[in-house]
Amino acid sequence: MTAGNRIYLRRPADAEPLLEAFRCLPAAVVADCMSRLPALSAEISLKTAPQKPIMCGLAVTVKARSGDNLMLHKALDMAGPNDVIILSNEGDRSQSLMGEVMATYARQRGMEGIVLDGPVRDIDGLSRMNFPIYAAGHTPGGPFKDGPGEINVPIACGKIHVSPGDIVLGDADGVIIIPRQDAARILEAAQAYLIVDERNFELAKTGSLERGWLAETLHNKQVEIIDDIYR
């Protein structure tokens, strides 16, 4: 087996029963229950117009060489319902990794969506497509198809670690990663937090949102408050 140039056909699927419940939750709510640390870089944003507000599936991870999409093509043939392809591109922004033809094929396969730590192209067509694709920009420059690369190995995408079978949750805000081994505990916390968040939203609309925490925090942080003009 050659490290750096290999494909694992299987990945853990123990978090799959939780997907439907996570689809009911905003990514921001779940992120708040994970110490606000699971979000991919804001550079990776939604490039399409999916009718479903939330993308949620198990990670099919792809490790690609800069500007190369050979392993992405293979992942497209492997992924299906409840899968999200998520690709590490060594931070490269010079070459697009896919366009409208590949995206159309992916949608036909029934997968949940695609997350790329790199650009796409055919943005005019993609921007109207009913299929979730998140990417770091767009460029007309096309990809190479030489490899090497890997599928279903741990990667870093958008500065966040992703293991095969982790839950990938995305909406208009962006994408977060939920480690599969912690998913049940995070789901329970997020469902409880959503109730609080929705209540706070209603209170905010009437101006009655409790704000006492702010004075307490400023006091605990020893912030000096001066009733005077800066001189």
Side-chain angles (χ1 to χ4, degrees):
M1 184 180 296
T2 305
N5 198 26
R6 58 189 176 180
I7 296 169
Y8 288 93
L9 296 178
R10 300 181 184 181
R11 52 88 212 268
D14 48 301
E16 189 167 18
L18 305 177
L19 293 180
E20 284 303 318
F22 272 111
R23 286 191 182 103
C24 300
L25 297 171
V29 166
V30 181
D32 281 358
C33 295
M34 299 176 65
S35 301
R36 306 189 173 187
L37 294 175
L40 272 57
S41 167
E43 186 180 14
I44 299 175
S45 60
L46 186 62
K47 302 301 180 188
T48 53
Q51 293 179 0
K52 291 193 302 182
I54 290 183
M55 171 193 75
C56 184
L58 302 184
V60 176
T61 59
V62 179
K63 183 181 291 186
R65 184 175 65 87
S66 298
D68 193 282
N69 76 352
L70 178 65
M71 292 298 171
L72 176 57
H73 273 282
K74 177 59 179 176
L76 290 178
D77 286 346
M78 294 170 56
N82 289 333
D83 289 336
V84 173
I85 293 175
I86 181 165
L87 180 145
S88 168
N89 187 41
E90 298 182 336
D92 183 74
R93 302 291 182 258
S94 62
Q95 312 294 133
S96 64
L97 295 169
M98 66 181 299
E100 194 171 10
V101 172
M102 291 176 66
T104 300
Y105 178 70
R107 181 179 61 183
Q108 180 272 336
R109 295 275 300 168
M111 63 189 71
E112 278 285 317
I114 297 175
V115 181
L116 305 173
D117 198 352
V120 292
R121 65 177 177 180
D122 303 331
I123 193 63
D124 184 54
L126 291 183
S127 65
R128 298 190 297 270
M129 182 172 287
N130 176 23
F131 179 68
I133 297 178
Y134 294 80
H138 50 88
T139 175
F144 305 106
K145 293 177 173 59
D146 301 317
E150 296 183 289
I151 297 177
N152 282 330
V153 299
I155 64 169
C157 181
K159 301 180 181 179
I160 297 295
H161 175 88
V162 189
S163 291
D166 284 349
I167 294 177
V168 185
L169 179 65
D171 57 21
D173 281 340
V175 179
I176 68 170
I177 305 300
I178 304 160
R180 61 180 183 84
Q181 63 271 23
D182 300 321
R185 177 182 57 81
I186 292 168
L187 175 61
E188 183 178 359
Q191 288 172 329
Y193 187 81
L194 179 62
I195 296 172
V196 175
D197 193 60
E198 290 176 339
R199 183 171 66 246
N200 286 340
F201 179 66
E202 293 302 317
L203 291 172
K205 290 193 293 185
T206 63
S208 54
L209 183 64
E210 197 281 318
R211 302 282 290 168
W213 66 268
L214 179 57
E216 182 180 355
T217 301
L218 293 173
H219 174 76
N220 292 338
K221 297 293 183 180
Q222 299 181 345
V223 177
E224 185 179 10
I225 298 176
I226 303 165
D227 186 14
D228 199 355
I229 298 172
Y230 176 80
R231 305 177 192 279

